[in-house]
């Protein structure tokens, strides 16, 4: 009866082996999966080879590919060989006899299970770990290539006195090698320990020696290698302090120099002793000394690496931090200004005697002010110049300058690109999307300053919301000023920011009909009738031939479409064009570049070219302040960060090293060296020889349209906001720190920084240079210069601190020169304050109320800060838009707002708004312009023009009154109330005399008794 319940003696029926058919199905499925992945991988690889060869950069792809392959196999083999070798050694040195114990009895089952597959198991583990290690090594291709091709910076760091090239090029590669050795030793140690444990070399539950002699020797060597590598790591960590981010600054501080650096040296010494003891343990066979030394290393790392620096910081540095850190702050300031190229910025102040030219409406300072907002006029461009519903322009238009009718004019322009998403769903099939609707067409442009081709002012007034955009290039008769200025050019845009993913172009024979829809005015084919849209055929050099069945198969796999094999449109003469975004193309041929967010089109030598700015960056410049690239460049116009070359987006060195162009018709990519002295550019040029052309090869027509890049300027203004202070004590106190203002007209509810603006700038003629300006600085241009501009406000405040501009014309000898006008002591209003003052002005509110009554929405454009004469003036366009959901409804420029010397003006023209601002009750009176010949300006002590006012004029009386008010303020601060009262009374009399003269009276008109009426403010 007991046999019925004796489960141990019951025999289970043998499992039925899988049938031959089942095994065949499994094998077939595995083979198909492997074949699919292999074919897909090969298709991607081979089509990449074809693409790189087609655009002339095959050497880039081959060098990059071979570098990755070599790194993969070198580091993969090192890891695999090290692990497999240690596992084999551990197996070969296993004990031949095992003492009987429950532990060994339990391990016998695992040994029996492993024995049949032991070789496969070891080999598989080695391959798996090799793949992981090889992938890691291949991912370090940038680090390896910079180390292999690095050049000296010809500048030493302030602490270790080593060339900066060591930190940028060598140190990262050394770190990777040391980390790899540590990783290999740890993985090999674990693998060897498992084998020793499995085969009895390590016995945890046996009294006496728990490790065999062989196990102890092998594990001691591996531990010794790990600790030795850690000692080298401590030595390299010393150099990391030079660019390590801290709570106060980036780089070495007092605590680092006096606590952390000595601690690293001590820990390195202890680690070396530990390594020696582990190696000695191969013969001594005792774990006492190695264990004690390892425990000492861990304890020292805690005490010296964490606790001791904290004690020094808290009790030695904090009580007198500004004094202790002053030398280190000074080095940080110097390194930061050099790394971001802001050590040549010129600083100025406005003169005490001001020259106003606002009344002269023909002055270039006034006439060149841009009124067209590149972001708000996109819909106007679309509705007026779209031509077809499937064409579009960029969300934010670009700004460039062209010489039209002999005058350098700023234009707001955009490329009319193809938008396949706007096509009706009924026509969105493969043939239409990839063979018919293949490209965009032409450039659309409007004058930025709302003046026509003859440079005459155009009013925005009119009945209703009628568009008054002044077009420089469009599809209507007379809108061809730009075309006349640049001559004939190829208008088709096959490569653009919004081009289709791929298009199949070309035809089987010259007599075959063209099928690509075109908008070129001259486009026509003999097979088109007069009622059909014109067609064309792409004939550019860019494009991979797909006439063979083999290539058609590969591209069918790549793009997941069988039409490459089945469609009659894919013929022997067909080509496929893809990777069409200019940014994407440049990234693929120069993956080491960081690209500017703003890509802009320009017309050069009869072609439309996309121009891109490329940067070389690093986060390892010793002593330079490290910051997030996104934080520094984020504003209301920023779409995305262009940073792609660092593990994080933090940088502390940046150069505009490359100017790149992409031909809009055939996709040709050309890279030109711009900052040819940049060590990073030299290193990458050596790594990819022949990729970057010298600066001398830039065509003159292209040079006319190269400009100072926006992201570079944003990064520099962000850093200069704090690092304009060069005194360590003042920098530490943070009492003269500036900030980039927030945009007073943000998009949505998200706050962001105010973007910089491009315009022609005439620097104030009477600027007073700062004594700290760099030596041999170029002179300030006296003529209007194409510039990129912005402002600063005091940190966490809203008033204006400074105006900053950089010469943006690449043909100018002062290109890249930044100038800052410091006005913080004058208490001028900042952008947000001006925006509030203008919108709350009764005159402005009354004028804009008409739009509210008519059901229109008011949108404010860019708030520009412009130097005019010796003053700063604010200009802001006002757009109106009907409050309807009609797609044809778009913002229209209706008014111009001006804020000048406290006065607010509004008008349909800029000159009218300027005049209104000067005549407002809040503005300072100014002498009206005379109709006769103007008197020649007098010359002040410095030789610069001072004032054109005649003796006894309104302006002179007001200037004298201003001086009296300033003297009264000084007397009040000194506590001299008697002098204060005298200056106030004298100033009041001068103001009253000026008012009497303005009203037609005499300047000697009797003043009202003192104290009667409100006292005028200075």
């Amino acid at each position: 009866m007991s046999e019925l319940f004796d489960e141990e003696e019951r025999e289970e029926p043998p499992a039925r082996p899988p049938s031959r058919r089942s095994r065949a199905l499994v094998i077939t499925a595995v083979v198909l999966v492997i074949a699919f992945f292999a074919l897909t991988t090969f298709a991607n690889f081979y089509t990449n080879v074809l693409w790189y060869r087609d655009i002339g950069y095959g050497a880039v792809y081959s060098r990059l590919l071979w570098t990755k392959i070599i790194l993969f196999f070198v580091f993969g083999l090192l890891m695999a060989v090290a692990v497999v070798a240690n596992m084999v050694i551990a197996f070969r040195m296993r004990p031949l006899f095992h003492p009987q114990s429950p532990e060994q009895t339990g391990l016998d089952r695992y040994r029996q299970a492993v024995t049949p597959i032991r070789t496969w198991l070891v080999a598989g583990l080695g391959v798996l770990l090799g793949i992981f290690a090889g992938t890691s090594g291949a991912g370090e291709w940038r680090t390896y290539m910079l180390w292999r091709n690095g050049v000296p910076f010809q500048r030493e760091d302030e602490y270790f006195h080593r060339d900066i090239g060591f930190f940028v090029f060598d140190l990262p590669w050394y770190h990777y090698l040391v980390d790899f050795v540590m990783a290999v030793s740890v993985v090999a140690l674990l693998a060897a320990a498992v084998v020793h444990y499995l085969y009895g070399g390590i016995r945890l539950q046996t009294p006496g020696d728990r490790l065999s002699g062989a196990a102890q020797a092998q594990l001691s060597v591996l531990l010794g290698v790990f600790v030795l590598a850690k000692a080298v790591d401590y030595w390299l960590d010393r150099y990391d302090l030079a660019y390590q981010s801290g709570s106060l600054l980036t780089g070495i501080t007092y605590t680092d120099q006096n606590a952390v650096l000595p601690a690293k040296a001590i820990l390195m010494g202890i680690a070396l002793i530990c390594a020696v003891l582990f190696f000695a343990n191969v013969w001594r066979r005792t774990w006492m000394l190695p264990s004690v030394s390892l425990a000492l290393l861990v304890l020292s790392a805690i005490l010296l690496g964490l606790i001791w620096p904290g004690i020094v910081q808290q009790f030695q540095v904090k009580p007198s931090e500004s004094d202790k850190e002053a030398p280190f702050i000074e080095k940080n300031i110097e390194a930061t200004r050099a790394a971001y190229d802001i050590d040549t910025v010129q600083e100025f102040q406005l003169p005490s005697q001001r020259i106003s030219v606002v009344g002269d409406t023909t002055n270039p300072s006034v006439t060149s002010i841009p009124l067209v907002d590149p972001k708000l006029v996109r819909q106007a461009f679309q509705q007026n110049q779209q031509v077809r519903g499937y064409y579009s322009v960029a969300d934010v238009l670009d700004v460039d300058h062209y010489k039209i009718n002999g005058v350098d004019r700023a234009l707001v322009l955009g490329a009319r690109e193809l938008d396949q998403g706007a096509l009706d769903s009924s026509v969105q099939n493969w043939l239409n999307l990839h063979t018919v609707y293949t490209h965009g067409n032409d450039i659309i442009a409007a004058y930025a300053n709302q003046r026509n081709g003859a440079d005459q002012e155009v009013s925005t007034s009119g009945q209703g919301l009628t568009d008054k955009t002044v077009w420089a290039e469009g599809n209507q008769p007379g809108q061809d000023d730009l075309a006349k200025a640049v001559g004939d050019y190829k208008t088709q845009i096959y490569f653009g920011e919004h081009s289709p993913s791929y298009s199949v172009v070309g035809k089987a024979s010259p007599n075959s009909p063209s099928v690509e829809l075109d908008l070129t005015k001259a486009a026509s084919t003999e097979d088109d009738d007069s009622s059909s849209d014109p067609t064309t055929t792409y004939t550019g050099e860019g494009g991979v031939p797909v006439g063979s069945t083999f290539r058609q198969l590969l591209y069918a796999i790549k793009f997941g479409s069988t039409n490459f094999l089945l469609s009659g449109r894919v013929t022997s003469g067909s080509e496929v064009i893809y990777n069409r975004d200019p940014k994407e193309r440049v990234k693929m041929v120069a993956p080491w570049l960081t690209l500017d967010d703003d890509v802009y089109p320009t017309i050069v030598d009869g072609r439309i070219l996309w121009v891109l700015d490329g940067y070389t960056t690093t986060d390892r410049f010793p002593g330079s302040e490290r910051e997030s690239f996104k934080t520094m460049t984020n504003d209301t116009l920023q779409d995305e960060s262009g940073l792609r070359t660092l593990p994080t987006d933090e940088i502390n060195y940046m150069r505009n090293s490359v100017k790149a162009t992409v031909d809009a018709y055939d996709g040709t990519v050309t890279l030109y060296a711009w900052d040819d002295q940049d060590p990073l550019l030299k290193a990458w040029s050596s790594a990819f020889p022949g990729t970057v052309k010298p600066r001398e090869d830039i065509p003159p027509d292209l040079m006319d349209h190269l400009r100072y890049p926006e992201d570079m300027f944003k990064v520099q203004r962000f850093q200069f906001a704090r690092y304009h202070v060069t005194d360590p004590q003042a920098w530490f106190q943070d009492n003269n720190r500036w900030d980039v203002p927030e945009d007073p007209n943000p998009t949505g509810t998200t706050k962001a920084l105010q973007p910089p603006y491009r315009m022609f700038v005439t620097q104030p003629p009477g600027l007073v240079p700062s004594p700290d300006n760099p030596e041999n600085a170029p002179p300030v241009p006296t003529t209007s210069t194409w510039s990129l501009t912005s402002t600063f406000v005091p940190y966490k405040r809203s008033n204006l601190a400074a105006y900053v501009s950089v010469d943006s014309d690449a043909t100018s000898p002062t290109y890249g020169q930044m100038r800052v006008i410091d006005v913080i002591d004058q208490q001028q209003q900042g952008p947000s304050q001006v925006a509030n003052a203008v919108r709350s002005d009764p005159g402005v509110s009354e004028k804009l109320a008409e739009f509210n009554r008519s059901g229109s929405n008011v949108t404010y454009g860019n708030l520009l800060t412009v130097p005019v004469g010796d003053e700063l003036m604010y200009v802001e366009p006002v757009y109106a838009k009907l409050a309807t959901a009609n797609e044809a409804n778009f913002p229209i420029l209706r008014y111009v707002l001006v804020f000048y010397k406290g006065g607010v003006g509004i008008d349909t023209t800029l000159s009218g708004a300027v005049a209104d601002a000067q005549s407002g009750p809040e503005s300072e009176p100014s002498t009206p312009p005379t109709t006769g010949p103007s008197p020649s300006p007098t010359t002040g002590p410095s030789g610069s023009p001072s004032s054109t006012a005649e003796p006894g004029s309104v302006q002179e009386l007001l200037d004298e009154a201003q001086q009296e008010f300033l003297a009264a303020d000084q007397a009040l601060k000194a506590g001299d109330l008697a002098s204060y009262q005298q200056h106030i009374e004298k100033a009041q009399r001068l103001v009253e005399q000026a008012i009497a003269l303005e009203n037609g009276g005499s300047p000697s008109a009797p003043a009202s008794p003192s104290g009667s009426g409100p006292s005028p403010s200075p």
Side-chain angles (χ1 to χ4, degrees):
M1 190 72 175
S2 61
E3 290 87 351
L4 296 175
F5 301 97
D6 191 356
E7 295 182 359
E8 292 184 0
E9 296 181 5
R10 179 182 300 174
E11 295 184 1
E12 295 288 342
R16 179 179 297 177
S19 65
R20 181 176 301 175
R21 182 177 181 182
S22 299
R23 285 189 302 229
L25 289 175
V26 171
I27 294 174
T28 302
V30 171
V31 170
L32 288 176
V33 170
I34 294 175
F36 172 77
F37 282 108
L39 189 59
T40 303
T41 301
F42 176 76
N44 285 327
F45 162 73
Y46 193 71
T47 54
N48 281 338
V49 171
L50 293 176
W51 185 86
Y52 274 96
R53 289 178 178 174
D54 175 67
I55 65 171
Y57 288 90
V60 172
Y61 186 69
S62 60
R63 181 164 292 225
L64 184 59
L65 180 65
W66 280 112
T67 300
K68 291 182 177 181
I69 290 175
I70 291 173
L71 290 175
F72 177 88
F73 279 104
V74 167
F75 287 98
L77 285 174
L78 286 175
M79 173 66 80
V81 168
V83 173
V84 170
N86 276 278
M87 294 180 72
V88 171
I89 291 172
F91 177 75
R92 293 289 180 86
M93 300 176 69
R94 69 190 184 280
L96 297 179
F97 302 99
H98 309 126
Q100 293 297 323
S101 68
E103 179 185 23
Q104 295 302 315
T105 302
L107 290 173
D108 284 338
R109 291 182 297 174
Y110 294 102
R111 285 192 282 265
Q112 294 172 3
V114 166
T115 298
I117 58 172
R118 182 174 59 233
T119 302
W120 289 102
L121 188 64
V122 172
L125 182 62
V127 170
L128 182 63
L129 292 174
I131 291 175
F132 283 120
T135 303
S136 171
E140 295 295 323
W141 65 269
R142 287 188 178 90
T143 306
Y144 168 76
M145 296 187 86
L146 284 178
W147 169 75
R148 185 72 177 80
N149 300 279
V151 297
F153 267 68
Q154 303 299 335
R155 178 190 178 104
E156 293 184 348
D157 77 292
E158 296 290 340
Y159 302 100
F160 301 102
H161 304 291
R162 304 199 63 156
D163 187 88
I164 291 175
F166 167 78
F167 298 89
V168 175
F169 301 126
D170 300 336
L171 189 58
W173 181 245
Y174 296 157
H175 264 301
Y176 179 74
L177 293 179
V178 171
D179 292 342
F180 182 79
V181 171
M182 294 171 65
V184 170
S185 60
V186 169
V187 174
L189 176 69
L190 294 175
V194 169
V195 174
H196 278 299
Y197 178 72
L198 182 63
Y199 288 96
I202 298 177
R203 299 181 292 272
L204 302 179
Q205 300 179 7
T206 302
D209 292 335
R210 289 185 168 84
L211 276 74
S212 66
Q216 182 169 324
Q218 185 178 9
L219 297 183
S220 295
V221 170
L222 291 174
L223 284 171
V225 170
F226 173 81
V227 179
L228 181 62
K230 186 61 182 175
V232 178
D233 192 47
Y234 278 129
W235 180 74
L236 295 177
D237 284 347
R238 297 165 57 249
Y239 297 109
D240 289 343
L241 295 175
Y243 48 80
Q244 178 178 282
S245 298
S247 58
L248 179 64
L249 50 80
T250 298
I252 292 180
T253 61
Y254 181 91
T255 301
D256 292 330
Q257 188 177 57
N258 294 277
V260 178
L261 277 174
K264 296 288 185 183
I266 295 172
L267 291 173
M268 180 182 66
I270 297 175
L272 288 173
I273 295 173
C274 286
V276 171
L277 292 176
F278 274 117
F279 290 138
N281 198 45
V282 174
W283 297 278
R284 292 181 58 86
R285 306 293 175 89
T286 175
W287 289 99
M288 177 63 69
L289 290 178
S291 302
V292 171
S293 63
L294 186 61
L296 178 61
L297 177 62
V298 174
L299 182 62
S300 300
I302 297 174
L303 293 177
L304 298 178
L306 298 175
I307 297 178
W308 174 242
I311 293 174
V312 171
Q313 180 69 24
Q314 185 66 33
F315 298 102
Q316 195 170 354
V317 176
K318 284 292 185 182
S320 55
E321 188 171 9
S322 62
D323 297 329
K324 297 286 188 184
E325 301 290 8
F328 306 95
I329 294 174
E330 184 177 7
K331 292 179 174 63
N332 171 257
I333 293 173
E334 181 181 355
T336 301
R337 289 170 65 93
Y340 291 102
D341 200 18
I342 55 176
D343 52 351
T344 58
V345 176
Q346 294 177 280
E347 295 188 64
F348 301 90
Q349 292 183 342
L350 292 175
S352 56
Q353 296 292 330
R354 309 290 177 78
I355 299 174
S356 177
V357 298
V358 175
D360 182 7
T361 56
T362 64
N363 190 286
S365 300
V366 179
T367 59
S368 63
I369 296 175
L371 303 178
V372 178
D373 189 322
K375 190 171 186 178
L376 294 180
V377 297
R378 175 184 183 270
Q379 290 177 285
F381 272 55
Q382 295 239 126
Q383 295 300 323
N384 290 310
Q385 303 293 344
Q386 190 176 19
V387 183
R388 299 287 190 275
Y390 44 80
Y391 289 107
S392 179
V393 294
D395 292 337
V396 180
L397 300 178
D398 296 291
V399 181
D400 201 357
H401 64 111
Y402 289 82
K403 186 157 288 188
I404 298 177
N405 296 327
V407 180
D408 210 1
R409 301 292 301 275
L411 303 181
V412 175
L413 47 82
R416 187 192 287 118
E417 294 198 60
L418 182 66
D419 180 14
Q420 290 186 340
L423 291 171
D424 189 88
S425 59
S426 61
V427 299
Q428 289 191 18
N429 53 62
W430 189 87
L431 287 179
N432 283 333
L433 294 178
H434 298 291
T435 66
V436 176
Y437 297 94
T438 59
H439 62 279
N441 195 279
D442 216 345
I443 296 292
I444 314 167
Y447 290 104
N449 60 350
Q450 196 63 18
R451 300 172 74 91
N452 60 23
D455 205 14
Q456 297 171 336
E457 194 168 35
V458 177
S459 173
T460 61
S461 62
Q463 295 295 326
L465 292 180
T466 305
D467 183 35
K468 296 294 182 180
T469 303
V470 185
W471 300 102
E473 186 65 26
N475 64 328
Q476 300 299 325
Q479 298 176 355
D480 57 355
D481 292 348
L482 179 59
K484 291 178 180 177
V486 301
D488 294 335
Y489 61 95
K490 208 164 190 64
T491 61
Q492 290 97 336
I493 301 175
Y494 282 87
F495 296 84
E497 295 180 280
H498 304 287
S499 295
S501 58
Y502 71 92
S503 294
V504 178
V505 295
K507 50 187 179 181
S509 66
N511 297 325
S512 301
S514 299
V515 297
E516 299 175 45
L517 197 64
D518 192 44
L519 272 185
T520 307
K521 298 173 185 177
S524 63
T525 56
E526 64 278 0
D527 54 321
D528 289 327
D529 57 54
S530 59
S531 62
S532 63
D533 289 326
T535 58
T536 188
T537 298
Y538 173 79
T539 58
E541 296 181 0
V544 180
V546 288
S548 67
T549 304
F550 176 68
R551 291 193 177 185
Q552 291 171 7
L553 172 63
L554 293 181
Y555 280 99
I557 295 172
K558 179 180 180 65
F559 293 115
S561 175
T562 58
N563 289 294
F564 279 91
L565 295 167
L566 303 178
S567 175
R569 292 280 177 88
V570 184
T571 65
S572 59
S574 294
E575 295 179 338
V576 59
I577 53 177
Y578 56 103
N579 295 335
R580 301 165 70 176
D581 187 340
K583 277 187 181 180
E584 183 182 9
R585 294 179 77 81
V586 174
K587 285 177 184 175
M588 293 185 71
V589 302
W592 41 273
L593 277 178
T594 296
L595 298 181
D596 192 274
D597 183 66
D598 187 23
V599 182
Y600 63 98
T602 187
I603 303 173
V604 175
D605 295 330
R607 316 280 286 198
I608 297 176
L609 297 182
W610 296 97
V611 181
L612 303 88
D613 286 283
Y615 307 115
T616 47
T617 60
T618 183
D619 59 348
R620 295 176 178 270
F621 193 96
S624 174
E625 192 66 19
R626 184 186 293 182
E627 187 53 80
S628 163
F629 186 84
K630 181 177 181 180
T631 299
M632 293 188 286
T633 59
N634 185 35
D635 60 33
T636 53
L637 298 183
Q638 189 79 8
D639 289 333
E640 61 179 24
S641 169
L643 198 66
R644 293 291 185 275
T645 60
L646 296 176
T648 69
D649 77 332
E650 288 190 343
I651 63 171
N652 67 352
Y653 171 91
M654 184 175 182
R655 287 294 184 272
N656 178 208
S657 54
V658 170
K659 301 285 187 181
T661 63
V662 176
D663 192 300
Y665 183 73
D666 62 17
T668 299
V669 179
T670 309
L671 306 178
Y672 298 101
W674 188 249
D675 186 353
D676 49 14
Q677 299 303 311
D678 175 38
L680 280 167
L681 176 60
K682 292 179 180 179
W684 287 119
S685 297
S686 176
F688 297 100
T691 303
V692 183
K693 294 184 177 182
R695 181 169 177 164
E696 292 75 20
D697 289 355
I698 300 178
D701 284 352
L702 175 60
M703 185 69 78
D704 290 339
H705 297 283
L706 297 182
R707 65 192 192 183
Y708 202 81
E710 288 189 14
D711 283 350
M712 183 77 187
F713 181 67
K714 293 175 187 177
V715 168
Q716 288 177 318
R717 71 171 180 176
F718 184 94
Q719 292 295 342
F720 191 78
R722 187 172 194 187
Y723 284 90
H724 74 97
V725 180
T726 56
D727 178 75
Q729 294 291 346
W731 189 94
F732 180 83
Q733 294 167 4
D734 216 19
N735 57 3
N736 194 23
R737 183 177 178 179
W738 295 345
D739 203 357
V740 180
E742 291 183 351
D743 194 336
N745 304 316
T747 302
T749 58
T750 303
K751 292 183 178 181
L753 302 180
Q754 187 179 34
Y757 302 116
R758 296 190 184 274
M759 66 182 78
F760 289 101
V761 171
T762 302
Q763 296 292 341
L767 290 177
V768 180
S770 167
D772 297 329
N773 278 349
E775 298 180 1
N776 302 321
V780 180
T782 58
T783 58
S784 182
T785 305
W786 185 240
S787 304
L788 190 58
T789 68
S790 186
T791 57
F792 291 114
V793 295
Y795 188 60
K796 295 185 177 179
R797 292 170 60 192
S798 300
N799 58 293
L800 188 65
Y803 170 84
V804 57
S805 65
V806 60
D807 292 351
S808 185
D809 186 355
T811 62
S812 170
T814 60
Y815 169 87
Q817 179 61 55
M818 293 182 64
R819 298 181 186 87
V820 174
I821 302 176
D822 188 343
V823 298
I824 192 170
D825 295 332
Q826 301 178 19
Q827 290 298 312
Q828 295 196 24
Q829 296 191 49
S832 61
Q833 294 174 329
V834 169
N836 292 332
V838 167
R839 294 167 196 180
S840 60
D841 181 78
V844 173
S845 300
E846 182 180 354
K847 288 286 184 68
L848 299 185
E850 62 179 276
F851 299 115
N852 296 327
R853 291 192 294 267
S854 62
S856 301
N857 294 327
V858 172
T859 304
Y860 296 93
N862 294 330
L863 180 61
L864 307 176
T865 308
V866 187
V868 179
D870 280 339
E871 297 287 350
L872 295 177
M873 182 172 71
Y874 288 91
V875 178
E876 184 176 37
V878 178
Y879 290 79
K881 177 181 178 182
L882 291 174
T884 63
N886 190 346
E887 292 183 358
N889 181 26
F890 55 88
I892 296 174
L893 177 62
R894 291 310 309 269
Y895 284 109
V896 179
L897 304 177
V898 168
F899 183 89
Y900 181 67
K901 290 186 175 181
V904 177
I906 181 171
D907 197 79
T908 57
T909 64
L910 176 59
S911 60
V914 170
D916 187 33
Q918 293 183 95
S919 62
E922 296 181 6
S923 63
E924 297 177 12
S926 61
T927 305
T930 60
T931 57
S934 58
S936 59
T938 59
T939 304
S942 62
S944 61
S946 56
S947 174
T948 58
E950 298 179 356
S953 66
V954 172
Q955 186 63 49
E956 183 174 309
L957 292 171
L958 291 175
D959 288 341
E960 293 179 8
Q962 178 71 8
Q963 296 300 321
E964 292 297 328
F965 280 122
L966 293 175
D969 288 340
Q970 295 296 328
L972 183 61
K973 292 179 180 179
D976 188 352
L977 297 180
S979 297
Y980 168 77
Q981 184 64 26
Q982 291 175 2
H983 287 299
I984 287 293
E985 291 176 355
K986 187 174 180 180
Q988 288 176 335
R989 287 194 296 271
L990 290 169
V991 171
E992 290 167 354
Q993 289 175 18
I995 295 174
L997 181 60
E998 179 73 11
N999 294 330
S1002 169
S1004 59
S1008 59
S1010 175
S1012 62
S1015 300
S1017 59

